[in-house]
DNA sequence: TCAAATGATTATCT
DNA sequence: AGATAATCATTTGA
């Protein structure tokens, strides 16, 4: 057949003047002697085109064929091409590609952050089950919920990916379909590659709008899941007694500077995590930050209402003191005096009503702790010794009851902030002998 | 059932 | 980045 696809190209040379495809009589203009006859010809053809839609399909096909075979067809087609190219260019110039949608970017980032899109973390639902099995044991309740969350997340992930794939496939199918259609149509009407390109981009835009909806609803689902499972405020678990004791012992034995270093936090977390399993499944919520939270809360609440914590402070201080004494009497032990695991288990203290036994020596030492550049391990000994001293009742006169256990580390501004650098959990290298002068008062 | 306790979060500061 | 202070949301105990 003579029906070649006529994909338009800008270099096809569709210019009016001297176009090789134009028959000579077309290039002579319309003013010739036989011009009226030609006009009549064109008028007939146009008339046929106009009425073609009113005809039945068979009739139309026949007409179409007749038109295709018409001797004027190549010339008319080229004119059409030229007109079209000009209009298409003007259309294309009007709408340039827009910048990436910020909303879409936000959704993409979130899906990536939540682990829905992006690289799979170990194999979907199978991984969730494996994780559940692996983390089984301590904190079964917690890890069960955790794995439940992961299973649900991987479910969402799976749905998201299958849907996305479906959309992509549909998009590709539709695109090829449209392209085939356009190619087919290019036999009968001029179609430029740019036009095809534009059509494809329109299709892609439509599909990406659909994808955006998918992403949006996936994000919503993840947020709901998160709030259901991971919102720590909703799922708060109190520490158990042992963990609280460990933390309190550290706090009160470092009362002058209750800012554990990262290593100290890690160690404390390790100690507590064994008994607590207070592990939050959030992405940035490690056991260390749990310790940080605890110390943050403790510092604030202690400072706010020191009186309320007096008894507790005394108890832990005494405990630590005894532990330190035991350690030193047993020779040079490497054990930590500041965070003894079994300090309370000796049962040798009955401090429940001991509050009024303690009298502060705080008024005697002023702010000397703040400037002292001693290690906080020593400081912990100082804290401890202060209590040991006060326990002897040596400084009982002239002090009011509400001064019983003043916050040694708290300065005039009510802050610990300028206290010496944080310490380690592990045992001090210096002995109690290196304690500075204020304890001897 | 309610208040207190408590772990986590958030805004703000340095 | 890490601290504080205020606040939220839940747990606990009377």
């Amino acid at each position: 057949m003579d029906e070649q696809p006529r994909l338009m190209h800008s270099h096809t040379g569709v210019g009016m003047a001297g176009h090789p495809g134009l028959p000579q009589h077309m290039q002579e203009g319309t003013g010739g002697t036989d011009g009226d006859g030609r006009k009549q010809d064109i008028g007939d053809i146009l008339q046929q085109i106009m009425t073609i839609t009113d005809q039945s399909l068979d009739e139309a096909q026949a007409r179409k064929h007749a038109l295709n075979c018409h001797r004027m067809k190549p010339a008319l087609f080229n004119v059409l091409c030229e007109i079209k190219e000009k209009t298409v260019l003007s259309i294309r110039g009007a709408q340039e590609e827009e910048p990436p949608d910020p909303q879409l970017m936000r959704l993409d980032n979130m899906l990536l952050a939540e682990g829905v899109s992006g690289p799979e973390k170990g194999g979907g639902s199978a991984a969730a089950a494996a994780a559940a099995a692996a983390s089984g044991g301590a904190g079964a309740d917690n890890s069960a919920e955790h794995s439940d969350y992961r299973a649900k997340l991987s479910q969402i992930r799976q749905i998201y990916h299958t849907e996305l794939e479906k959309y992509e496939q549909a998009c590709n199918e539709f695109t090829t379909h449209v392209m085939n259609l356009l190619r087919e149509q290019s036999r009968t009407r001029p179609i430029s590659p740019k036009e095809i390109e534009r059509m494809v981009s329109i299709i892609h835009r439509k599909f990406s709008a659909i994808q955006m909806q998918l992403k949006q609803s996936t994000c919503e689902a993840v947020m709901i899941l998160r709030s259901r499972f991971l919102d720590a405020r909703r799922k708060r678990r109190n520490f158990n007694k042992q963990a609280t004791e460990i933390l309190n012992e550290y706090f009160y034995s470092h009362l002058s500077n209750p800012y554990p270093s990262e290593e100290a936090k890690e160690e404390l977390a390790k100690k507590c995590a064994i008994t607590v399993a207070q592990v939050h499944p959030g992405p940035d919520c490690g056991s260390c930050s749990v310790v940080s939270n605890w110390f943050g809360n403790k510092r604030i609440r202690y400072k706010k209402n020191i009186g309320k914590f007096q008894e507790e402070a005394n108890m832990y201080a005494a405990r630590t003191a005894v532990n330190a004494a035991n350690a030193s009497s047993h020779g040079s032990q490497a054990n930590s005096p500041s965070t003894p695991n079994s300090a309370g288990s000796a049962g040798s203290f009955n401090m429940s009503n001991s509050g009024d036994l303690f009298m502060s020596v705080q008024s005697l030492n002023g702010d000397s702790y703040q400037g002292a550049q001693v290690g906080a391990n020593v400081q912990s000994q100082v804290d401890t010794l202060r209590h040991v001293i006060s326990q002897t009742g040596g400084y009982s006169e002239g002090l009011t009851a509400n001064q019983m256990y003043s916050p040694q580390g708290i300065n005039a501004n009510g802050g610990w902030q300028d206290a010496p650098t944080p310490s380690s959990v592990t045992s001090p290298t210096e002995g109690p002998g290196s304690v500075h002068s204020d304890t001897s008062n």
Side-chain angles (χ1 to χ4, degrees), chain A residues 64-301:
Chain A
K64 204 173 110 184
H65 185 69
L67 277 171
N68 272 331
C69 298
H70 197 277
R71 64 190 171 87
M72 291 293 289
K73 192 214 161 186
L76 282 170
F77 197 88
N78 279 327
V79 172
L80 206 55
C81 279
E82 186 171 350
I83 294 166
K84 178 138 188 212
E85 182 155 5
K86 279 178 182 164
T87 52
V88 164
L89 277 172
S90 69
I91 289 166
R92 212 188 61 81
Q95 43 153 359
E96 273 306 308
E97 68 268 18
E98 62 263 46
D101 189 0
Q103 169 84 2
L104 186 64
M105 274 172 68
R106 228 183 49 220
L107 289 173
D108 276 335
N109 285 340
M110 188 181 153
L111 289 172
L112 204 65
E114 294 293 335
V116 176
S117 61
E120 182 124 20
K121 289 174 193 163
S125 53
S135 61
D141 177 38
N142 202 325
S143 71
E145 270 174 13
H146 192 170
S147 73
D148 200 14
Y149 165 79
R150 295 240 283 243
K152 289 225 157 59
L153 188 67
S154 102
Q155 222 176 323
I156 290 174
R157 186 191 160 93
Q158 209 169 349
I159 290 166
Y160 171 77
H161 280 291
T162 48
E163 288 295 306
L164 203 66
E165 210 170 302
K166 246 195 275 179
Y167 288 165
E168 245 148 43
Q169 202 182 331
C171 182
N172 286 339
E173 267 174 30
F174 192 69
T175 306
T176 36
H177 176 74
V178 167
M179 276 170 78
N180 284 340
L181 213 64
L182 288 175
R183 218 167 278 139
E184 182 71 27
Q185 285 194 359
S186 71
R187 295 169 195 275
T188 50
R189 68 186 183 93
I191 296 168
S192 73
K194 275 173 186 150
E195 204 179 346
I196 293 176
E197 208 176 282
R198 209 174 114 248
M199 196 60 88
V200 167
S201 85
I202 288 170
I203 294 166
H204 282 180
R205 248 203 307 269
K206 289 285 172 201
F207 271 92
S208 77
I210 297 169
Q211 273 190 10
M212 183 136 126
Q213 277 190 333
L214 172 71
K215 284 174 180 174
Q216 182 123 36
S217 51
T218 305
C219 275
E220 275 168 25
V222 170
M223 287 326 272
I224 290 166
L225 188 69
R226 246 186 111 75
S227 69
R228 280 253 302 276
F229 281 85
L230 296 187
D231 192 337
R233 289 205 246 206
R234 295 170 72 90
K235 283 278 152 197
R236 185 170 70 74
R237 287 286 141 79
N238 286 1
F239 293 126
N240 67 17
K241 220 169 180 171
Q242 254 188 301
T244 314
E245 276 183 15
I246 290 166
L247 294 169
N248 270 321
E249 266 168 37
Y250 186 95
F251 180 80
Y252 287 112
S253 65
H254 297 76
L255 197 53
S256 58
N257 183 36
Y259 299 88
S261 64
E262 283 306 308
E263 302 90 69
K265 278 185 210 167
E266 230 168 275
E267 205 171 326
L268 284 168
K270 226 183 276 174
K271 276 185 176 177
C272 297
I274 300 161
T275 53
V276 177
Q278 184 86 11
V279 180
H280 295 274
D284 53 358
C285 198
S287 48
C288 265
S289 70
V290 175
V291 175
S292 296
N293 284 341
W294 191 91
F295 273 90
N297 283 323
K298 191 73 183 178
R299 281 192 299 263
I300 287 285
R301 283 162 187 165

Side-chain angles (χ1 to χ4, degrees), chain A residues 361 364-365 368-369 379 382 386 435-441:
Chain A
V361 294
L364 300 172
N365 59 34
S368 59
Y369 284 127
Q379 192 60 58
V382 173
R386 206 194 312 268
V435 166
H436 56 85
S437 61
D438 60 339
T439 52
S440 60
N441 286 331

Side-chain angles (χ1 to χ4, degrees), chain A residues 337-417:
Chain A
S338 52
T339 58
N341 271 330
S342 55
S345 64
S348 47
F349 293 98
N350 186 5
M351 307 294 290
S352 58
N353 64 345
S354 59
D356 45 358
L357 284 175
F358 292 95
M359 291 295 147
S360 174
V361 294
Q362 183 60 37
S363 57
L364 300 172
N365 59 34
D367 60 352
S368 59
Y369 284 127
Q370 298 310 306
Q373 291 302 311
V374 293
N377 286 322
V378 175
Q379 192 60 58
S380 86
Q381 295 288 351
V382 173
D383 293 334
T384 298
L385 280 170
R386 206 194 312 268
H387 279 276
V388 175
I389 290 162
S390 64
Q391 214 172 354
T392 63
Y395 300 96
S396 52
E397 66 274 293
L399 297 171
T400 55
N402 60 2
Q403 287 177 306
M404 284 194 300
Y405 191 90
S406 304
Q408 295 92 334
I410 298 176
N411 60 23
N413 301 325
W416 276 291
Q417 283 290 40

